[in-house]
Amino acid sequence: MSVETVVPFVMVLIAALLPLSLLPVMIWAERKVSAFIQDRTGPNRAEILGIRLGGVIHAIADVVKLMSKEEMTPARVNRFYFVLGPFLALFVPLVSFAIIPLADSLNLGGTVIPLRAVTLNVGILFVLAVTSFHVYAVVFGAWASNNSFTLLGGLRSAAQMISYELGLGLSVVGTVMVAQSLDLGRIVEHQGGTLLGFLPAWNLFLQPLGFLIFLVCIFAETNRNPFDLTEGESEIVGYHLEYSSMKFAMFFMGEYIAIIGASAVTATLFFGGYQVPYLDTDFLRAHSTGVLRVMLVSMGAICFVLALLYRRYHRRLTALYHDRRRNEARMLGGMMLLMGLAAVVALLFVSPLPEAGGQVVVAAVQMTTLLVKILVVSFFFIWIRWTLPRFRYDQLMGLGWKVLIPLALLNIFLTGALLVFSGRT
Amino acid sequence: MESVLFWILSVVAVASAVLTVSRSNPLASALSLTVCLVAVAGLFATLSAHFLFIIQLLVYAGAVMVLVIYVIMLLNLKEREMKALGLSGPRVFVSSLVAVFVVALLARAQSGSGGFDPVSPVLDGSARRVAEIIFTSYVYPFEVVSILLLAAVVGVVVLGMKKF
Amino acid sequence: MIIGTENYLAVSLLLFVIGAVGVLARRNLLVVLMSVELMLNGANLAFAAFARARGVLAGDVIVFFVIAVAAAEAAVGLAIVVALFRKRGTVNLDRFTSLHQ
Amino acid sequence: MAATERKKTFRFSEKREKEIAALRGRYEYPQGLIMPLLWMAQYDEGWVSPEAMETIAEICETSPAWVYSLATFYTMFELERPIRYQIQVCHNLSCSLNGSESILAHLEKKLGIRAGEATEDGRFRLSAVECLASCGSGPMMQVNTEYYEQLTPEKIDALLEEFGRD
Amino acid sequence: MIEQVRHLTARMGKNNSPTIESYRDDGGYETAMKALAMEPEEVIEVVKASGLRGRGGAGFPTGLKWTFLPKEREKTYLCVNADESEPGTFKDRLILDFDPHLLLEGILITCHALKSDHAFIYIRGEFCRPYRRLRDAVREAYDAGLFGDNVMGTGRTLHCTIHRGGGAYICGEETALLNSIEGKKGQPRIKPPFPTNHGLFGKSTVINNVETLANVPLILRDGAEEFRKYGTEKSPGTRLFGVSGHVNRPGVYEFPHGIRLIDLIEDACGGVRDGNALKAVIPGGSSVPILTADEARELILCFDACMAAGTMLGSAGVIVMDETTCMVKALDRLTHFYGHESCGQCTPCREGSGWIAEIVSKIASGSGTPADLDKLVDLGRQISGNTICVFSDAVSMPVTSFTTKFRSEFEDHVNGGVCVAKKTTAATA
Amino acid sequence: MIGVRKIGRPMDLKERSYLVEVARGLAISMAHFARNVVKQDEMPTIQYPEEKRVLPERFRGRHRLTQREDGTPRCVACFCCQTACPADCISIEATEREDGYEKVPARFDLNILRCVFCGLCVEACPCDAIRMDTGKYELSGDDRGSLIYDLNTLLKD
Amino acid sequence: MAKITLNGIEREVEENSYLIRAAARCGVHIPHYCYHPALKVEGNCRMCSVEIEGVPKLQTACTTIVRDGMVVNTESEKVVKVRSEVMEFLLRNHPIDCPICDQAGECGLQDYYMEHGLHDSRVTVAEKVKKKKRVDLGPNVVLDSERCILCARCVRFCKDVTGTAELVIANRGSHAEITTFPGRPLTNDYAMNTVDLCPVGALTSRKFRFKCRVWFMERAESICPGCERGCNIYLDRFQNEIQRMKPRVNPRVNGYWICDAGRLDIDWINTNRLLRAEEGGRPIAPEESDREAASALSKGDEVLLVASPSMSNENLFALKKFSEKVLPGSELVGGSFREPWEDDGILRLPDRNPNRKGMEAIGIPTGIEKALATSRGTVLLFENDLLGDQPHLGAKLEGKKVIAFASNRTATVAAADLAVPVTSYAEMAGSFTNHAGRTQPFEPAIRPEGEARPVHEILHRIAAFLGSDLNAASFDALRSEMLEKVSALSMAVPDGREAEHVG
């Protein structure tokens, strides 16, 4: 098997596993961030051998709970669609990951290996197409539940998503025009380098209006606050009212995967994707050994700082608990210390890297960068949720049709005009 | 690889088309149709008509069918009514006769033409290429279609009003 | 096996015919509309296949227009269905006979 | 008082019966005789016993309870037991102005009982009473039926000694 | 020194004055003979002309009262109210003790006037010697044929029954007295109907005080004009004033109406004890409003002048208090009496008089509060006016007058001040 | 007639764009977030089973029946609490006692499962016999019967 | 008629009536304690003081007789003030007993305090006069002297109504209290009416003592089944149990009173009930018992139906109809099985069967002895305890099939072949016709427990088993049919009641 044949499979695997592995992190973050914003501590009680990881273990507990709960199917539902709903809810968002470039293509002795699962010349349109399929999940689930409330939720959801798809599509046009391509790879490449010498050449700065519209629309598309009218637990009760156990969990997970996917698309389109600010691929590849060293140093530093923090934490724990939980900080601190030491030791053995190795290191750095950007945008999703109140339905529709779409059209016009006047066509 | 894809997609397309027509539950029909449309989109992809592929997904599967399903749910037909509106024997018979006639007609026409050229793999149906043609040779039809869409939007809004 | 244009045409033909049967045989207005879409798809496939066969992108362009028109048609058609349903309480085609005369 | 304890019955003496017969004509209804009869019973026995009340009720054609209510309403009827010397010290305003409180205190000390109580042997009963219409010669007291006026502690000592003798 | 006018008390001080022999020696029962020869209406006219007013307390014209009897009546009773229980009053006892036949002659005449054949004398239960003397006098009178089926040979019937009370102040109230005779509890009746229409045993009844009836023979003997020579226009005749308290010579004095109170105290009674200053006087028995020394100096002792001075002549029991008297203590004595004597029929009186007694006693003992004083004043007002008889007013009047006229002393008691009369006899208990 | 009055609140452009206000809102929530991340110790959360809240003086916990000095219940079975109870959780049976107090409860059942902890029974009690000052709020049991407290249980605290 | 002006409104009132009564007739309630329409006027509570124009002092409305042209104000400032003051006096020695007092909830002091008092208490506990509590006045009445306001209603009742004068007020002033003569308890047969009369909680019923708070109870209007007087009563229920019986005012029948024997006879309603049908002591389902009864009746042999004069008119009528329509060959007789008692000259009448007149009117003949002697087949006993009450007749049941329709477990039930539970009078609607021929309706006070149903319903069901329609399932239909057919039973229109009085 040649590298060319293996890499796509690996990439598909990564594209599928990346959001799935981020899922528990997201759930944890959602709870923890919401708690902190509301001056609470959030989840912190589930433990394995005293290890709680600040509540991450709750994700496991949740899974166990959801899987062991009774699976209920209401009477007189359309079973096929009832199952199809959660299935689509989980897998449709997963697909959009396939097209995100995770790092610059490897160029191993002439063979170019794109580091993404699927390469399509209509890239961005694919994302839009896949996103539009998300609505089926909601609609089928809602309709199949044989319940007026879920149906209402479903209808609202369908109308909302179709409406905002328009704005979404139109807001992206600006970036496409700037990058002169629909291909996400091209769009990311175009965001390398700097703007006016000090800003990263991100579309965020080139397309601020487009970004805003995109952001609002992507919130609506993922049914997140302040547009979570589909769920609307305080009024109509959402489309997944009749779901329980794992089927509910699939909706639940689907929502977070959609957020991660949306974050990835946002990062790719507007935050320079895998691009490390100021440092383009060529520069990084040229200094790959230095990059590795810096990485190890910073990793070591982070580990040592964490170890120190855990030491302090240990004191608090021993004051509070009298069981095995009090040992958690010490164990984690030790681990951090070991990891830090490992980084230091590794630093001692770093030697100039070969070309291929350098490229892999750079790819890793770029993937990390993308990951960080995804997490930042995801954090923003959560942050917004605990800041803004929910929209009224007519406000939602008014915003979509009367504000965002005209603004998006204006954005296209302005971008076009600028492009024409700057002579970049 | 391509051929396998083709067969799979065409079988799915035809099968789901049959289901579309035969299912009494309109939502089932709609879902089948969606599957069919996705399959056809796949067929477009095998023809390397990438733009069509994505347009098919985006417009047909993503928008039109959602609209159809939306309306189906809105009307929320009762089970009994759905059954009453299912296929009926005589109609199927008559329409099948017509269908057979059409197929025979076309088969005969094709046999007269003497075969087709093989598919040209070099033709790239990417968005860029299609756009170039549309905005050059076909710019007037394009504008006409956009006016048509506008008219349709206005028409739908008027139809959707309560008083109508 | 090489997939030729005729294979695509065959699929297209089948889709078209099935759609036609649907239009003729069904009385549910919604299904009839969907069958029309089916027929359009059959046609589209034929256009795309011929475009490949001829090496001209005009086929793709036609498909593009057809899809656009189909979208418009679906929108208007569904709006009419909804309006009719509101007035008559049914989607049964046989009941819409006021223009028979 | 449980009914079983009271086996005795009360009868007026024949002399009294005659008196009663004479009085009967004076009162239009027999109930009017209740007070005179109560007085007679008290003269004869030194107190008004429950048996006497029942007998009176019978004579007066009313219920014993009715007689009882009268006997309790009027303070002069002795309902508990016979007492040899009823010492009643006026302590109303006029006598009080002239020092009846000290007289009462003196008596309490001498007899070893409080006003309103009787000595254990049943000889003396001391009570502070309201005006006995001898305001001009206060402080005064009444022992049984006799008035003793312009009292001083010395006078009382002498009197008690006299009572103690018989 | 002013001289007493001895009409009622003319025979007092004589030996054997209570006996019929002694009485006859002094011309007793001659008036009765004279009167029995007269028409009853004539007798009433004479009494009316004399202007004799009731000596029991209310001062109602006696002759007028007699005329209230309905013309058509089944039977008439005369009831003599000898239930003298008002603290400070001891005049009737004097008559009963020393001149019972004067009363009996009055009864004879009155019964003739009223066409009554039965007189009840309701004598106070505590009166033992008076009861004995009265009983003996009645016996003598029966033996002498003054009472019985053939009164003085006129062939008329007149009985006189002594009904002995049992120790209840309230029986001095006329309807209570009637109830008591009827063998009920001595609780006042609701008026109307009045006793003249529906009295003893449901028959027409006239109730008169001992002193009033004792005046009747004198009026008939001497004539109305002679009677009117003494006293004032509205209050003719002489009066027995029982003076008690802090005077040098307490006792019963007979004076015509209209003498000055200060003369009575300073002159007749030899002035206030120990030469102390006068502090207060209750002029007509304990239940009339008290007077301060200044008011007392101005007071003329007749019905109308007393009314004008805001008090009442009442039963003419004058209680004198000198400067050493603690007024709270004095009121405590009185309210204690009233608390003890309320008949318990009407709610305000039953609960109020006991309550007032409690409060005054609390204040007197020094554990009262200003709130108690306010409560006392309030209750004094609340209790009066809404009961069957006037007992509640009798409670109310001293309470109200004491607390208004000697407010500062009460305030001293509730505020922990010094009692003005720490060393006096009145405050020693 | 009930009507709806619409109150127009004119907004200027800054407000109408919402962006500034949204940003301010985000700043506020971020401030909270950041503060709580940095100063986790100062968060007001109490780690419940390990740490326990100091109850306010008037906290309404489980009921108890008070006793007189001689150990008898103060309750005189007046039914005021039963009358006042909106949840109908108290049921009393009165009886007479020959010695001492006239009326005493023969039975006093309090169904804590029904109780809404409104405290009206305490308000209603004329004898200060029922109180909710035990501070007990961890009320659980294995079966329903164990959560119906009887006279003796309620007297014990 | 006299014209008076009452609170500014001119009214026509009866001449020579007491003002309080005249005002009550005009709908003006004058608060009072000692006044009671059935007792002599005493005027001691002073609550009913009113202002009469031209009279300086307030007058008690209960002692004042109306005069033409009288101008009366019952709500003037002065009157209201005096009322509040009197309330203060009344409450002065009243203990704070409401929590343990049975009267709480229907107490005159509570009511008027809320209406006319509402002053803060100025009495300290030390100032109160302590009196005896929990005094046994007699077997049925308990006295609490502290609570007594000495209105003397009970005293007047015992003196004037029963003439026994057991109760008196002893002592005087604030120490006055109600008492009996030592050793002579309150034993007359109407003693418990004093409990009703008592406007406060001084007199309480021993039976009802501490049983239930009055505000929990709901009442139904009923008729006492104790004797043929047909006294009007209230049945007070709580938790589907009869808690007590109280007299209901009806001047034409019982006035304000009922006798104690009737009043205390409620325990049998709550205890020892037959709740399920029993066949030889074995419980069976209602349908089964119906079928059983029907099969016993359909055998064609002689059937004797024994009605009881304790049954309601409606049940008797249904029974009559049953015997005529469903079992034409059967014999229907009525019997009295309760020993007569003495006529006490007040309310109690000798015949202890409440509905003998009704049975006569419906046309059910007597003659049970003869009928029993001649009958051979099945005997149906309705609300008759033949074995328990009249054993010599019970012996004649030997060897016959006995079906007993009974509300309680009696000796007859125990011996019967089939026992069918029926409702007592407290659980159903119906009517009794009293000695004077007055038909008085009563309403159900409680729900029937178990499977007990009214006789007419059971008869209807049995008739259905026998194939005929008795048309007796609906009570209303049955009653109207009865009223139509038996004209003697026309219902008495409920008598206009006096304005309700305190206590």
Side-chain angles (χ1 to χ4, degrees), chain A residues 165-421:
Chain A
E165 239 167 58
L166 270 175
L168 190 71
L170 291 174
S171 66
V172 173
V173 172
T175 52
V176 173
M177 286 165 83
V178 170
Q180 307 266 331
S181 172
L182 288 169
D183 184 22
L184 285 176
R186 282 284 301 132
I187 291 172
V188 175
E189 274 168 36
H190 190 261
Q191 292 180 82
T194 55
L195 193 67
L196 306 173
F198 67 96
L199 279 175
W202 293 352
N203 279 336
L204 172 64
F205 304 111
L206 290 168
Q207 287 284 318
L209 185 57
F211 170 68
L212 264 179
I213 298 163
F214 179 84
L215 201 62
V216 174
C217 290
I218 206 81
F219 268 92
E221 277 295 299
T222 50
N223 291 327
R224 285 288 292 189
N225 254 26
F227 305 108
D228 63 340
L229 289 115
T230 45
E231 232 170 292
E233 57 274 272
S234 58
E235 12 159 343
I236 57 162
V237 197
Y239 55 89
H240 49 52
L241 175 68
E242 298 282 7
Y243 284 92
S244 57
S245 182
M246 266 325 274
K247 284 215 269 299
F248 169 76
M250 282 164 90
F251 274 117
F252 186 68
M253 292 193 289
E255 183 182 333
Y256 285 99
I257 290 173
I259 292 168
I260 296 162
S263 305
V265 172
T266 314
T268 306
L269 284 180
F270 293 98
F271 290 92
Y274 55 75
Q275 299 278 13
V276 184
Y278 310 112
L279 307 173
D280 59 21
T281 315
D282 294 338
F283 178 85
L284 287 172
R285 283 185 178 162
H287 303 86
S288 57
T289 317
V291 168
L292 185 60
R293 286 211 176 99
V294 169
M295 273 177 71
L296 285 172
V297 166
S298 51
M299 185 180 143
I302 289 171
C303 284
F304 287 131
V305 168
L306 278 175
L308 276 175
L309 284 175
Y310 273 125
R311 210 178 130 80
R312 226 178 77 191
Y313 185 45
H314 178 66
R315 253 177 268 139
R316 258 173 65 204
L317 286 182
T318 44
L320 192 59
Y321 298 120
H322 298 285
D323 51 22
R324 59 188 180 186
R325 278 174 289 177
R326 65 196 308 184
N327 299 321
E328 178 189 5
R330 188 183 287 164
M331 285 163 68
L332 291 175
M335 231 153 83
M336 282 301 139
L337 211 59
L338 283 177
M339 276 170 68
L341 284 175
V344 171
V345 171
L347 197 59
L348 297 177
F349 292 99
V350 167
S351 53
L353 290 163
E355 171 66 18
Q359 286 196 19
V360 169
V361 167
V362 170
V365 169
Q366 287 179 331
M367 279 166 91
T368 310
T369 312
L370 180 64
L371 199 64
V372 169
K373 286 176 180 174
I374 289 173
L375 287 176
V376 167
V377 178
S378 297
F379 174 80
F380 187 74
F381 267 81
I382 298 168
W383 182 13
I384 281 283
R385 175 170 179 190
W386 301 105
T387 303
L388 295 184
R390 186 190 302 147
F391 272 61
R392 212 168 58 209
Y393 199 73
D394 62 319
Q395 290 172 333
L396 172 93
M397 284 315 216
L399 180 70
W401 287 98
K402 295 190 203 153
V403 179
L404 295 182
I405 292 173
L407 276 180
L409 290 171
L410 177 70
N411 185 45
I412 293 169
F413 178 76
L414 286 176
T415 311
L418 273 173
L419 286 176
V420 168
F421 286 121

Side-chain angles (χ1 to χ4, degrees), chain G residues 484-499:
Chain G
E484 202 179 296
K485 297 228 170 105
V486 190
S487 58
L489 294 183
S490 63
M491 295 280 170
V493 180
D495 288 297
R497 254 166 246 142
E498 292 281 326

Side-chain angles (χ1 to χ4, degrees), chain A residues 76 78 80-81 84 120-123 125-130 132-133 135-136 139-140 142-143 151 154-156 158-159 162 165 180-182 393, chain B residues 23 25 27-29 31 34 38 50-51 53-55 57-58 60-63 65-67 69-70 72-74 76 79 82 124-128:
Chain A
R76 303 193 58 206
N78 194 322
F80 176 67
Y81 298 106
L84 188 63
L120 272 178
N121 55 12
V122 287
L125 289 179
F126 178 79
V127 172
L128 293 176
V130 169
S132 67
F133 267 73
V135 73
Y136 284 105
V139 161
F140 285 141
W143 181 82
L151 186 64
L155 284 177
R156 283 173 170 224
I162 292 179
E165 239 167 58
Q180 307 266 331
S181 172
L182 288 169
Y393 199 73
Chain B
R23 296 299 298 269
N25 187 338
L27 198 79
S29 298
L31 186 74
T34 311
V38 173
H50 290 142
F51 181 67
F53 162 68
I54 213 75
I55 284 292
L57 284 184
L58 200 59
Y60 255 127
M65 284 322 291
V66 172
L67 200 62
I69 289 170
Y70 190 92
I72 291 170
M73 280 163 48
L74 194 72
N76 204 11
E79 194 90 17
M82 288 181 204
D124 173 20
S126 72
R128 180 180 292 270

Side-chain angles (χ1 to χ4, degrees), chain B residues 40-59:
Chain B
V40 170
L43 287 175
F44 286 146
T46 57
L47 288 170
S48 69
H50 290 142
F51 181 67
L52 290 187
F53 162 68
I54 213 75
I55 284 292
Q56 176 87 359
L57 284 184
L58 200 59
V59 177

Side-chain angles (χ1 to χ4, degrees), chain E residues 96-374:
Chain E
L96 297 171
D97 252 349
F98 298 107
D99 207 358
H101 284 286
L102 182 63
L103 172 67
L104 294 184
E105 186 171 10
I107 290 170
L108 255 172
I109 296 165
T110 309
C111 281
H112 172 65
L114 302 177
K115 299 174 190 163
S116 165
D117 60 0
H118 199 158
F120 277 97
I121 304 174
Y122 189 92
I123 187 166
R124 198 181 161 195
E126 287 91 339
F127 283 180
C128 295
R129 188 177 63 182
Y131 171 69
R132 280 198 305 273
R133 290 192 175 167
L134 183 63
R135 189 188 60 197
D136 294 344
V138 170
R139 218 171 269 158
E140 285 171 341
Y142 261 101
D143 292 344
L146 297 172
F147 294 119
D149 293 332
N150 187 6
V151 176
M152 294 177 130
T154 57
R156 299 180 42 185
T157 303
L158 176 58
H159 285 291
C160 181
T161 310
I162 305 174
H163 188 95
R164 193 171 177 196
Y169 167 76
I170 193 61
C171 291
E173 204 276 346
E174 52 184 21
T175 52
L177 184 146
L178 298 180
N179 272 348
S180 187
I181 296 174
E182 286 181 15
K184 296 173 187 160
K185 284 191 280 187
Q187 289 179 328
R189 297 180 183 171
I190 294 162
K191 285 171 279 190
F194 290 97
T196 43
N197 293 312
H198 193 272
L200 189 61
F201 302 115
K203 307 294 177 347
S204 296
T205 307
V206 166
I207 302 128
N208 281 122
N209 181 258
V210 170
E211 190 189 344
T212 318
L213 289 179
N215 268 312
V216 170
L218 304 179
I219 290 168
L220 280 160
R221 186 186 68 196
D222 303 333
E225 282 70 42
E226 180 66 20
F227 184 76
R228 275 192 173 277
K229 271 190 192 161
Y230 300 94
T232 65
E233 171 66 31
K234 292 269 179 66
S235 316
T238 58
R239 189 75 192 257
L240 298 179
F241 292 100
V243 187
S244 62
H246 297 153
V247 288
N248 282 325
R249 287 195 301 275
V252 179
Y253 297 86
E254 184 170 8
F255 283 108
H257 282 113
I259 67 155
R260 291 173 62 206
L261 175 61
I262 197 71
D263 288 342
L264 182 67
I265 296 169
E266 295 292 339
D267 211 340
C269 299
V272 178
R273 185 187 61 171
D274 302 337
N276 284 340
L278 182 67
K279 183 173 185 178
V281 181
I282 301 174
S286 65
S287 51
V288 306
I290 194 171
L291 296 175
T292 60
D294 291 339
E295 287 168 333
R297 281 191 193 93
E298 304 301 317
L299 189 72
I300 290 167
L301 290 171
C302 70
F303 289 110
D304 305 297
C306 284
M307 281 294 236
T311 180
M312 282 191 286
L313 190 51
S315 56
V318 179
I319 304 168
V320 180
M321 290 173 245
D322 71 9
E323 60 188 337
T324 62
T325 317
C326 170
M327 300 314 284
V328 182
K329 195 83 209 167
L331 183 63
D332 182 27
R333 296 297 351 127
L334 288 180
T335 52
H336 181 273
F337 168 73
Y338 289 117
H340 185 250
E341 292 297 344
S342 169
C343 80
Q345 189 173 210
C346 308
T347 306
C349 169
R350 177 182 67 230
E351 306 295 346
S353 48
W355 195 0
I356 285 173
E358 289 271 350
I359 294 167
V360 178
S361 138
K362 193 171 157 197
I363 294 174
S365 71
S367 51
T369 62
D372 285 330
L373 182 54
D374 294 340

